[in-house]
Amino acid sequence: MNDSSGIEELRNRVEALEAEMERVREQAGSAHTLAALADRDAAEVRAVGRANNQLLTALRDTQREQGEGLAALQRAVESMALAVGGLATGQAALQEGQQAILAELRALRGGGTADS
């Protein structure tokens, strides 16, 4: 092997190595880009997860507030039902009293009707 062929072979090997290094740099750049995209995607997934948690918390709070409101309305309706029941009982007692008064008036008039 003479010096010129050895240098030529070395030159060819260096050129091949430089070309391979260029491909490695391109692949490393692609890998870096993919890693950055994956990192961004992971951040988006975390953001969506946080948003979903906030939404679920808001829904839970709303349901609790609405449940409390419904319970208050139920108590109010029950209170009104008791009041209406009391009014009905009072009305029945008034009607009985009116009937007793009419009966006494009729008796005092000698058997006549109080309407006449």
Side-chain angles (χ1 to χ4, degrees), residues 1-21:
M1 179 189 246
N2 62 25
D3 282 341
S4 71
S5 68
I7 291 176
E8 188 63 32
E9 181 184 341
L10 184 59
R11 185 174 291 135
N12 290 338
R13 289 177 68 191
V14 168
E15 287 175 5
L17 184 57
E18 286 174 345
E20 181 65 24
M21 285 304 298

Side-chain angles (χ1 to χ4, degrees), residues 25-41:
R25 282 188 199 102
E26 288 174 4
Q27 289 176 351
S30 296
H32 185 269
T33 300
L34 287 174
L37 291 173
D39 186 52
R40 188 182 71 200
D41 288 348

Side-chain angles (χ1 to χ4, degrees), residues 40-55:
R40 188 182 71 200
D41 288 348
E44 287 177 11
V45 167
R46 286 190 300 270
V48 167
R50 282 190 300 272
N52 285 339
N53 283 340
Q54 290 173 343
L55 175 64

Side-chain angles (χ1 to χ4, degrees), residues 38-113:
D39 186 52
R40 188 182 71 200
D41 288 348
E44 287 177 11
V45 167
R46 286 190 300 270
V48 167
R50 282 190 300 272
N52 285 339
N53 283 340
Q54 290 173 343
L55 175 64
L56 290 172
T57 299
L59 284 172
R60 183 191 68 214
D61 292 344
T62 299
Q63 285 183 328
R64 181 180 38 78
E65 291 167 2
Q66 289 176 345
E68 291 170 357
L70 285 173
L73 287 174
Q74 183 177 2
R75 287 189 298 272
V77 167
E78 289 170 354
S79 176
M80 285 186 223
L82 288 174
V84 168
L87 289 174
T89 302
Q91 184 66 29
L94 281 174
Q95 188 174 9
E96 288 176 17
Q98 288 172 346
Q99 292 298 324
I101 291 171
L102 284 174
E104 283 189 42
L105 286 174
R106 286 182 186 131
L108 289 174
R109 290 185 71 195
T113 63

